[in-house]
Amino acid sequence: MGFELERPLYLLFVIPAFLLVVLFLRTKVQLTKREKKIIVPLRMMIVLLLVFALSIPNLVFTTKNVHTVFIVDRSDSINGVNSEMTAFIRNAVAAKGADDQFAIVSVGRDATVERMLGTQSSFSSDWSQVHADYTNIEAGIQIASSLLAREGSGRVVILSDGNETLGDALQQANFVRVQGVTVDVVPFYQEKLKDVSLQEFIVPRQMFKGEQASLSLTVYSTEETETTLRILLNNEAIVQDVVELKQGSNSFRFNSPINESGMHRLRAEVLTTGDSILENNQLTAMTVITGTPNVLLVEGNRLTSNPLYDALNATGLNVNQITPEFLPTELNGYLQYETIIFSNVSSMRMTETQMDLIEKAVRDFGVGFIMTGGHESFALGGYKDTPIEKVLPVEMEIKSEEELPSLGLVFVIDRSGSMQGMRLELAKEAAARSVELLRKGDTVGVIAFDDRTWQIVDTEKMTDIKEVSEKILGITAGGGTDIYPGLAEAYAQLAPLELQRKHIILLTDGQSPESGNYQTLIEGGREANNITLSTVAVGDGADHYLLDVLAEYGTGRFYSVYDETTIPSILSRETMLTTRTYIEDEPFYPRVNNTTEWSTHFTSGVPQLNAYIATTPKGRATNVLISIKDDPVLSRWQYGLGKTVAWTSDVEGVWSGQWAAWDHWSSLWNDIVTWTFPADVQDPFEVAQKREGTTSILTFTTEENQSRPLEATVVNERGQLIEANIRMTAPGEYEVSFDGHEGMHYVQLTDLQQAPVFQTGITVAYPEEYRMLPTNEAFLEALADVGGGMVLEEGKEAFRPLNERPVTRQPIAHSLILLAFLLFFVEVAVRRFGVPRVSGWYNKSKINSDSIRPSETIPKIQRKAEKRNVVSEIARDTSHDKAVSQERNSEPKGKDNQKNSNEKRVDTQDTMKRLLEAKKRGRR
C-alpha cells in the first residue's frame, strides 16, 4: 500500500491557515488557559485536516492482476473473419488468471461495449449491430481507456485489418499510454474475394448544348473477368457496354452528346456476376449544360393542343410536357429546368414529397414556378397548407368581408381494423386540418364506424376548434366495416338543421354489406334537406364502384386514393368547396397595374375574362392584373432565390375567353416565363473536393481577391437540407464542410442579401471501407509501437504480466473532511459550555485520603481542620466587607471627602482586627 497527493501544492495553504489560528487566539482574550490548552490543538487539527483534504490524498494499492479490453473490428472491410476473432478471444480468455478481468468492445463507425470488465470467462458472441461502413479504432480505444480508468492501468488488444477510415487511433494510443494503458494489435486478413469496383468517374463540370461529353472511368478488379459497364443521364442509359477486365485497374473513356441544357446527373455502374461487394459498384457526377432554357409544363389533362404550350414554343424555349404522374421524385429532376409550370393540376395527383422537392428547388436554387387556374387548381386543387401554397404569391383562403353561407359538415370516418396505422393517422390529421379551415359557429360533427357507430363529435355549432381537433385525433382502430349505419346517422343529424349548406364526407378503405337502401337514403336527403355527399375510397380493398355511385347519388365528388399521403389535401379541398364558392364566373375586363414592365402589353387594352379562381394576395406580392372584386388575376413575387407567378384564370380558353387568340398572348407569356428564370450571375469558382472520415470538404476558389462573407446551402438528392459550415480561409477562398451520405449533393453559395453567387452539384462517393484494401500491417505495427505494446501471435499473450502493475486508488479526502467537522463541533462545545471542572472532586478525594493516614495523630488532624475553618471564616469576612463597601458606594453622593476617608480607615481597622482574632483562635 502506498500514499499519494494529487495536488501537493495545496499544502502551502498551511501557512495562511496557521496565521489565522494565531489571529484567532489573539482576538479570543476571554478564554482561560485551560480552554486554550484544548481549543488551540483542536483548531490546528481542523485546519490541517482541511488543507490535507484539499490536496486530494489517496491510498494506493497495487495488484498483480491483468485487465484486458479486446477491441473487435466489425467493419465491412473485414466482416468475413468475425468467427476467427471470436476464437482468438476465447483462446486468450482460457489462459487468463482467475482474478484477471477482460472486456470486449466492437467498433465500426462508432464503438459499442459488448461486455463489461469481469473475471467470468464465458461471453456471448451475439454481437450488437454496428454501422459497418467505417472503421473507427480511435473510438474503441477511448471506450477501452474509460473501462480501465478505475483500475489505473491495463491492456488494450486490437483485432483488425488496420484500414482505419475514421478518427486518429495513433494519437489516441499515445494518449492512453501516458495513462498507463498499453496497446497490442492482432492483424487479421480478409479471404480473397471476387470484387469489381468503380474507382473514379470524371465528367466535365460545364459544357455547351450538343457538345460531346468525355466520360472517363477507372474500374478495379481482383481478377480477370467480364462486366457490364453502364452510364445513365438522369436515369436514362446513354452508354451500355460489356467489357473485359484484367486484374488491377482498368481505364475506359466514352464520348456522348448531351442535347438538353440545365443541370444533369450522370451515374456510372458496373454489373458483374459473382461480385461480393455491391456498395462500390456505382459513382455519380454532375454537369451543367449551357444552352436554350428548359421549361417543365405539367398538365392536369394532356391536350392535343394547348395554347400555352404553343405560345412558349413560339418563343424558342425547350418545353417538356408531362402529366403529374411523371413528376420527378428526386431534386435533380427539377434542377434541370429553369421554370416549372402547373396548368390545372390537382394536388391529389402528386405526393407531399414531390411538392417539398419543388419548394426546395424554388427557394434554395432559384428555379421558377408558375400556376395557372382551372377546376383542379389553387383552392379547388387542394393546395391549402401545402408546400406549393408557400411558394405562390397568393393564399388559397379568401379573406373577403362578404357574408358566408351557414354550413353544416359531418365527417364519416372508417375506424375498422384495416384502417389501423398510417391510413387512420392521415385520415384523423386530414379531418383535424379541415376543421381548422372552418369558423366558430359552423356546425360540425364526426362519426366513426366499424361494425357499429361511434359519435366522436356531436353535430352542433362549434365553439372550440382545438377541442374538436383533439377529439378527432383520439379515434382508434378496431372492428369490421359497415358503412350504412354511420352514413344514415349523419343524414339523420343534419336533416332537421336550418342551414344553407349541408355536406357529408365519407372515407373508407373496405367493403361493406348492404344493410340498407343507399339510394333512398342519399337521394331523399338531397331532395328533402339539400344534403350533398362526397366519398373517398382508400386503397385496393375499398369498394370503389359503390363509393363512386354514392357520390353520384349525393351530387358530390368521388376520390379514388391509392397514395394515402393525399388524404389531407382531399379533405381540405372538400371543406373549402363546401364553405364557399371559389369560382368567380361573371365576365369582366381586368384592371392593369401600370407600375410593372409587363404593363406595356396592355397599352391597347385587355381582352375580356370569363372566370377565375378567387384567392388572396400575400403581403409582398405584386398584382399585375386585378379583377373588379380586387382579387388577383396575375400576381408575382420572390420566394427565397426563386420567382413565382399565379395566373388565376385558365390557359385553355374556357375561362380566359379570347386571351389565347390575343396578339400579345405569346409575348406576354414569354415575359412571364423568362422573368421567373434564375439569375445567371455565377462567379467563376474553381471547386476542389476532399473527404475526411464522414466529412466532405469543398474548397471554392475565385480569382477575385475579395473578402466578402458568403452563406452556403447544401441539399441532398432527396431534397433534405444538410447542415453545412462555411469559412473564409483566404481572400477569394472559401471552405464548406458537411456530413453527407453517398450520393449527389447540391451546393448554393449566396451573399448576405441572399443573392445567388454560385451553384454546383457534387457527388459523395462510397466510403473507403469498400475499396478492398489489403491488411495494413505497417499501421498496426506503428499503433503497437506508439501504444507501448506488441504484435500478438497467440491469445495467451493478451494476459501476460504488465510492465506496470495495475494500481487502485482509494480517496480519503471525504473521511478527512468528516473528521474535521467532528472536531469542529467539539471545539464549538468547549467554547460554548467551557471545560468541565474536576478540582472539587480531587480535593474531596484528597481529604478522605488524608483522614485515614495511620501516621497522623488525632491532634494533628484537629489542627488541620481548625486551619481550614480559619481560611473559610476569613473568606466569609472578606465577602461580607466587599458587600458592605458596595452598599456604601451606592449611597447618594455629595458628602465630604473627609468623612469618606474616615469610614475607609475604620473599615480597614475592623478587618485587621477580625483577622488577628481568627489567627489567635487558630493557634489555640
Side-chain angles (χ1 to χ4, degrees):
M1 183 180 73
F3 182 80
E4 68 175 12
L5 297 175
E6 293 187 21
R7 300 174 183 172
L9 292 179
Y10 277 50
L11 294 177
L12 295 176
F13 282 115
V14 170
I15 299 173
F18 176 76
L19 295 178
L20 289 174
V21 173
V22 173
L23 180 63
F24 166 78
L25 292 176
R26 290 192 174 184
T27 57
K28 298 294 183 178
V29 294
Q30 70 274 19
L31 296 176
T32 65
K33 288 184 178 180
R34 186 188 302 276
E35 290 173 339
K36 288 183 178 180
K37 287 181 180 179
I38 296 175
I39 291 175
V40 171
L42 285 175
R43 181 59 60 93
M44 291 298 298
M45 284 293 294
I46 292 170
V47 170
L48 289 175
L49 287 172
L50 292 177
V51 171
F52 203 51
L54 286 174
S55 64
I56 308 182
N58 295 315
L59 297 179
V60 181
F61 303 92
T62 59
T63 178
K64 295 182 181 180
N65 298 331
V66 179
H67 309 301
T68 301
V69 179
F70 295 96
I71 298 177
V72 182
D73 181 356
R74 296 184 50 229
S75 63
D76 283 340
S77 65
I78 194 70
N79 62 358
V81 296
N82 280 337
S83 58
E84 297 177 24
M85 292 181 178
T86 303
F88 181 91
I89 297 175
R90 293 196 186 281
N91 292 336
V93 170
K96 78 177 185 69
D99 295 326
D100 292 343
Q101 300 185 60
F102 76 100
I104 302 174
V105 175
S106 291
V107 295
R109 184 189 300 181
D110 303 303
T112 302
V113 177
E114 302 287 357
R115 184 190 192 276
M116 298 295 292
L117 271 176
T119 58
Q120 188 175 359
S121 298
S122 61
F123 64 91
S124 172
S125 59
D126 186 15
W127 308 121
S128 304
Q129 291 291 328
V130 298
H131 296 286
D133 52 349
Y134 287 90
T135 302
N136 190 351
I137 300 176
E138 177 190 7
I141 298 176
Q142 286 177 340
I143 288 186
S145 65
S146 66
L147 294 175
L148 295 170
R150 185 176 178 182
E151 310 303 331
S153 63
R155 175 176 291 120
V156 173
V157 179
I158 300 172
L159 290 68
S160 174
D161 62 353
N163 290 314
E164 182 185 36
T165 58
L166 186 61
D168 189 345
L170 291 174
Q171 180 180 0
Q172 189 64 29
N174 185 54
F175 177 74
V176 299
R177 183 179 181 181
V178 176
Q179 298 178 326
V181 177
T182 60
V183 178
D184 292 345
V185 297
V186 183
F188 280 85
Y189 302 86
Q190 178 74 281
E191 62 182 21
K192 187 176 181 180
L193 301 173
K194 179 180 180 180
D195 181 61
V196 175
S197 61
L198 268 172
Q199 300 286 306
E200 192 175 42
F201 182 36
I202 301 176
V203 175
R205 188 169 291 274
Q206 191 163 2
M207 296 183 295
F208 292 100
K209 180 180 178 180
E211 181 181 353
Q212 291 283 331
S214 178
L215 312 175
S216 301
L217 302 96
T218 301
V219 182
Y220 180 85
S221 179
T222 57
E223 60 184 53
E224 292 185 2
T225 188
E226 181 181 87
T227 189
T228 299
L229 199 154
R230 186 167 61 181
I231 301 176
L232 298 94
L233 174 66
N234 301 325
N235 296 326
E236 293 185 5
I238 58 174
V239 173
Q240 183 161 333
D241 195 8
V242 178
V243 296
E244 295 291 334
L245 301 177
K246 64 180 182 180
Q247 184 177 357
S249 294
N250 302 262
S251 297
F252 301 93
R253 183 184 298 272
F254 300 93
N255 292 318
S256 178
I258 301 179
N259 297 317
E260 295 185 1
S261 57
M263 183 181 293
H264 299 279
R265 183 187 65 179
L266 294 102
R267 184 172 76 248
E269 300 175 342
V270 287
L271 308 173
T272 311
T273 303
D275 194 0
S276 58
I277 301 177
L278 302 179
E279 288 84 355
N280 56 18
N281 288 352
Q282 70 175 28
L283 289 172
T284 56
M286 189 277 304
T287 187
V288 176
I289 307 300
T290 303
T292 307
N294 292 326
V295 176
L296 179 63
L297 177 59
V298 186
E299 297 175 311
N301 297 306
R302 189 66 177 268
L303 303 175
T304 56
S305 177
N306 187 323
L308 178 57
Y309 176 78
D310 296 337
L312 296 177
N313 260 344
T315 62
L317 298 173
N318 288 331
V319 182
N320 182 20
Q321 284 180 288
I322 64 170
T323 57
E325 289 73 23
F326 293 95
L327 276 170
T329 57
E330 295 180 349
L331 181 61
N332 177 73
Y334 299 100
L335 297 185
Q336 47 189 293
Y337 298 100
E338 274 69 28
T339 288
I340 303 166
I341 303 175
F342 274 19
S343 178
N344 196 25
V345 177
S346 171
S347 66
M348 278 75 81
R349 299 176 65 183
M350 69 190 77
T351 65
E352 190 87 6
T353 300
Q354 289 171 316
M355 288 190 277
D356 277 330
L357 291 175
I358 293 172
E359 190 266 341
K360 288 182 173 61
V362 175
R363 184 192 63 194
D364 298 328
F365 296 94
V367 175
F369 184 80
I370 301 170
M371 178 176 281
T372 69
H375 286 93
E376 300 292 327
S377 191
F378 294 103
L380 304 184
Y383 286 102
K384 173 68 177 174
D385 294 331
T386 65
I388 298 298
E389 186 184 27
K390 294 180 184 178
V391 167
L392 290 171
V394 295
E395 295 179 1
M396 305 299 107
E397 186 175 356
I398 306 174
K399 297 179 180 179
S400 64
E401 298 181 357
E402 66 181 33
E403 184 179 352
L404 297 177
S406 56
L407 171 67
L409 181 63
V410 177
F411 297 91
V412 181
I413 301 174
D414 185 352
R415 65 171 294 269
S416 62
S418 59
M419 286 285 290
Q420 188 168 7
M422 184 60 68
R423 282 184 181 176
L424 183 58
E425 292 303 316
L426 287 171
K428 293 190 297 184
E429 178 192 347
R433 278 171 51 177
S434 298
V435 166
E436 292 174 359
L437 298 175
L438 302 175
R439 305 157 297 169
K440 287 185 178 180
D442 286 338
T443 299
V444 177
V446 179
I447 297 172
F449 67 89
D450 42 30
D451 46 13
R452 54 172 291 191
T453 300
W454 305 82
Q455 188 76 45
I456 306 301
V457 177
D458 293 333
T459 304
E460 58 188 10
K461 288 187 177 181
M462 180 171 56
T463 57
D464 189 337
I465 296 176
K466 183 177 180 182
E467 181 183 357
V468 172
S469 298
E470 289 176 351
K471 288 182 178 180
I472 293 172
L473 295 175
I475 299 174
T476 57
T481 304
D482 192 354
I483 297 174
Y484 187 84
L487 189 60
E489 182 64 27
Y491 273 93
Q493 293 179 7
L494 278 178
L497 301 180
E498 297 294 332
L499 300 170
Q500 292 172 288
R501 293 186 179 181
K502 304 176 186 179
H503 190 62
I504 298 172
I505 301 176
L506 169 64
L507 185 146
T508 181
D509 71 339
Q511 307 278 340
S512 173
E514 292 193 16
S515 54
N517 191 320
Y518 288 108
Q519 185 173 1
T520 302
L521 172 68
I522 298 171
E523 290 183 349
R526 176 173 55 82
E527 295 172 358
N529 300 294
N530 197 30
I531 301 174
T532 56
L533 170 69
S534 291
T535 59
V536 183
V538 182
D540 294 327
D543 192 337
H544 290 252
Y545 174 77
L546 172 64
L547 294 175
D548 190 8
V549 171
L550 297 185
E552 185 177 349
Y553 290 158
T555 65
R557 289 156 293 276
F558 166 67
Y559 301 92
S560 182
V561 176
Y562 293 95
D563 180 3
E564 299 162 1
T565 61
T566 63
I567 294 175
S569 296
I570 291 172
L571 294 196
S572 295
R573 178 177 189 262
E574 275 298 303
T575 304
M576 297 186 74
L577 289 176
T578 305
T579 56
R580 64 173 67 216
T581 301
Y582 283 84
I583 299 175
E584 298 289 345
D585 54 1
E586 294 182 5
F588 69 99
Y589 292 92
R591 299 200 317 269
V592 179
N593 179 0
N594 292 318
T595 62
T596 69
E597 69 276 16
W598 296 347
S599 62
T600 57
H601 295 284
F602 312 112
T603 53
S604 58
V606 294
Q608 186 183 58
L609 272 179
N610 296 330
Y612 67 94
I613 297 177
T615 59
T616 301
K618 293 180 180 177
R620 294 183 294 104
T622 300
N623 294 326
V624 181
L625 295 176
I626 307 168
S627 74
I628 58 176
K629 292 186 177 181
D630 291 331
D631 294 328
V633 174
L634 179 61
S635 183
R636 72 185 190 185
W637 81 333
Q638 175 112 14
Y639 178 75
L641 298 179
K643 299 173 183 177
T644 69
V645 174
W647 167 262
T648 59
S649 187
D650 72 354
V651 293
E652 301 161 6
V654 178
W655 290 359
S656 55
Q658 296 300 313
W659 279 74
W662 181 43
D663 292 340
H664 295 277
W665 178 254
S666 293
S667 58
L668 173 63
W669 275 102
N670 181 70
D671 283 357
I672 292 173
V673 172
T674 55
W675 180 83
T676 63
F677 286 172
D680 189 14
V681 292
Q682 294 208 140
D683 292 348
F685 278 97
E686 291 292 332
V687 183
Q689 180 180 357
K690 64 178 180 179
R691 192 171 184 177
E692 295 181 357
T694 60
T695 303
S696 294
I697 300 175
L698 307 177
T699 302
F700 296 87
T701 307
T702 181
E703 294 180 0
E704 292 184 2
N705 199 18
Q706 297 180 359
S707 300
R708 56 172 172 167
L710 298 179
E711 296 179 351
T713 301
V714 179
V715 180
N716 65 17
E717 57 192 341
R718 293 178 296 279
Q720 298 169 332
L721 187 66
I722 306 297
E723 183 178 352
N725 297 312
I726 184 170
R727 65 186 184 97
M728 184 186 299
T729 55
E733 184 174 299
Y734 302 86
E735 185 178 276
V736 176
S737 59
F738 63 93
D739 286 343
H741 295 289
E742 176 185 357
M744 287 296 300
H745 291 73
Y746 303 95
V747 184
Q748 176 86 41
L749 299 183
T750 57
D751 60 21
L752 296 183
Q753 286 71 42
Q754 294 300 306
V757 175
F758 185 74
Q759 175 181 310
T760 188
I762 61 100
T763 179
V764 176
Y766 55 80
E768 293 290 319
E769 197 71 28
Y770 303 110
R771 289 195 178 272
M772 286 296 295
L773 299 175
T775 297
N776 194 339
E777 296 179 351
F779 173 80
L780 292 174
E781 291 173 359
L783 190 59
D785 183 59
V786 171
M790 58 183 288
V791 179
L792 303 185
E793 295 181 359
E794 297 181 359
K796 63 182 181 180
E797 295 176 320
F799 289 94
R800 70 186 187 278
L802 297 168
N803 296 331
E804 298 181 8
R805 288 187 177 183
V807 296
T808 57
R809 293 169 174 81
Q810 180 178 343
I812 60 173
H814 291 84
S815 301
L816 297 179
I817 293 173
L818 180 61
L819 180 58
F821 270 106
L822 292 175
L823 294 179
F824 175 74
F825 291 135
V826 172
E827 181 197 334
V828 171
V830 171
R831 287 193 283 112
R832 176 68 179 84
F833 302 107
V835 181
R837 293 183 175 274
V838 296
S839 57
W841 173 83
Y842 175 76
N843 289 336
K844 290 180 180 180
S845 300
K846 186 175 181 181
I847 290 172
N848 295 333
S849 176
D850 290 344
S851 63
I852 61 173
R853 286 181 183 177
S855 60
E856 288 190 334
T857 60
I858 293 176
K860 288 183 179 180
I861 294 172
Q862 290 177 346
R863 284 196 294 272
K864 288 183 178 181
E866 289 175 355
K867 287 181 180 180
R868 287 196 292 272
N869 293 334
V870 170
V871 173
S872 299
E873 187 175 348
I874 293 173
R876 284 196 302 271
D877 292 341
T878 304
S879 301
H880 178 267
D881 293 341
K882 287 182 179 180
V884 172
S885 176
Q886 290 176 357
E887 290 177 0
R888 290 175 178 174
N889 291 336
S890 63
E891 291 179 357
K893 295 182 180 180
K895 297 181 179 180
D896 53 45
N897 293 333
Q898 183 65 36
K899 183 178 179 180
N900 292 336
S901 178
N902 292 335
E903 290 176 351
K904 290 180 180 179
R905 191 179 299 115
V906 171
D907 291 339
T908 302
Q909 291 175 357
D910 292 342
T911 301
M912 293 298 295
K913 184 177 178 180
R914 284 195 295 271
L915 288 172
L916 288 173
E917 290 177 355
K919 184 177 181 182
K920 288 178 182 180
R921 288 195 300 270
R923 287 178 178 178
R924 288 196 298 266

